[in-house]
Amino acid sequence: MDLDLSQEERLFREAIRDFAMRAVKERNLDQLPSVPSELFKEMGRLGYLSLNISEAYGGSPGSWVMIGIMIEEIAKFSIGLSHLIVNQYEVMLTIDRFGSKQIKEEFLPKMVAGKSMASLAFSEAGEAGFRIGEVGSGYIVDGEGYVATFGVQPETVLLFGEAHTFLFVPLSLSGIEIVLLNTTGLFPSQLSSVRFCHVHVPGTHLIGQEQHGSPACIESGFYSPLYRILSGLICIGAAEEALRFATNYAKARKAFGKSICSFGAILGRICEGYALLEQARLFSYRALSIMDRGGSVKREAIVCAWLYPKIAWKVIEEALLIHGHYGYSRELRLQQMLRDVMAFEFLLGSEEALKRQLGLELIGREVMPDDISRSMC
């Protein structure tokens, strides 16, 4: 089943597929510690990092569907790279919408051109999180949190601090330490810890308004419906490639004189994977299409975050099992794909929290128990 794409979106899909095959697949990025900087610069030259960013800062018109197409196609060959791109877009869109004119003029043109990368960092609750205090016309940041992506050394980080205070922090400031975590997936994107020791951040780097009530705190980064939908498409794109790979293997592999894809057990796995992914894919693009028309997709985004990493895991696992013991070897990407999609189950929030959020949307705050309603504000 194909999507009801515009002519522009169809041409964009063909272009991004060619780019993914040429520039992403051939580089075998899963084996690299970081993404080559020239790859991001090429994406900038081709306009892939400029969609829906204000033209005054180097952006260009586009649709949310086009961004979804790009993420899905690149995820087929590098889950880590597609995740880096999603994070880059979230930072750029947040700055474009809520940042000061000074921040926009200084950073957005470089980011759109692929010459400067940014990351997202969120604070844990309590003593373990970031502590942001006002001093003069700026802020002092102390504490530690976890950065979503650090495969390419970024110049800046969008910091989600306590009480929903957001700061855009240049990592060149004194007192910042980056510690790479020894993770098992999301290469060449890599989770990291970022530590702040009495770091002074200028007041002009505040994003939105201070503390609760700022639209930035509920519409950006990890809270963003776009982040959730695109992360779901990362998982879908990876699972589509795993299923395609397993299907081709099953056609070529012979047992008892015929292709193993003719056996009911193998054929059933392929058919079930196709059905699950097509439903998820169409639901995701429906949500992006609603966004293009200016509609709200909070419910749809929660579904994408809750279900699609699990669906992708199931499809990739079945693709691995179709290959038998060979599928478990490091010669194939399937075992790496499983670890990669697992990361989205904690990056996007726990299943229980997402179900509570969806329940609040479906049932309404007025009839939800007070303790649950307050915990989701």
Side-chain angles (χ1 to χ4, degrees), residues 326-372:
Y326 181 50
Y328 197 58
S329 72
R330 292 187 180 274
E331 295 181 32
L332 302 183
R333 291 181 57 221
L334 297 173
Q335 41 77 32
Q336 183 65 59
M337 285 177 164
L338 280 177
R339 292 195 292 273
D340 289 346
V341 299
M342 179 189 291
F344 290 94
E345 293 201 48
F346 60 81
L347 285 174
L348 296 172
S350 70
E351 178 179 353
E352 293 75 18
L354 291 167
K355 285 181 178 178
R356 288 199 302 270
Q357 291 174 26
L358 182 58
L360 185 61
E361 289 296 311
L362 296 175
I363 298 173
R365 191 180 303 274
E366 65 278 1
V367 296
M368 291 287 282
D370 287 343
D371 57 335
I372 294 180

Side-chain angles (χ1 to χ4, degrees), residues 250-251 253-263:
K251 289 179 180 179
R253 179 78 163 86
K254 297 292 193 298
F256 306 107
K258 54 184 177 180
S259 297
I260 64 171
C261 64
S262 63
F263 301 151

Side-chain angles (χ1 to χ4, degrees), residues 218-257:
I218 57 175
E219 299 176 16
S220 305
F222 303 103
Y223 303 91
S224 161
L226 180 66
Y227 182 88
R228 289 173 164 178
I229 295 168
L230 293 180
S231 294
L233 275 171
I234 292 175
C235 298
I236 292 168
E240 285 176 323
E241 178 62 14
L243 183 63
R244 183 198 65 80
F245 192 74
T247 301
N248 289 340
Y249 173 80
K251 289 179 180 179
R253 179 78 163 86
K254 297 292 193 298
F256 306 107

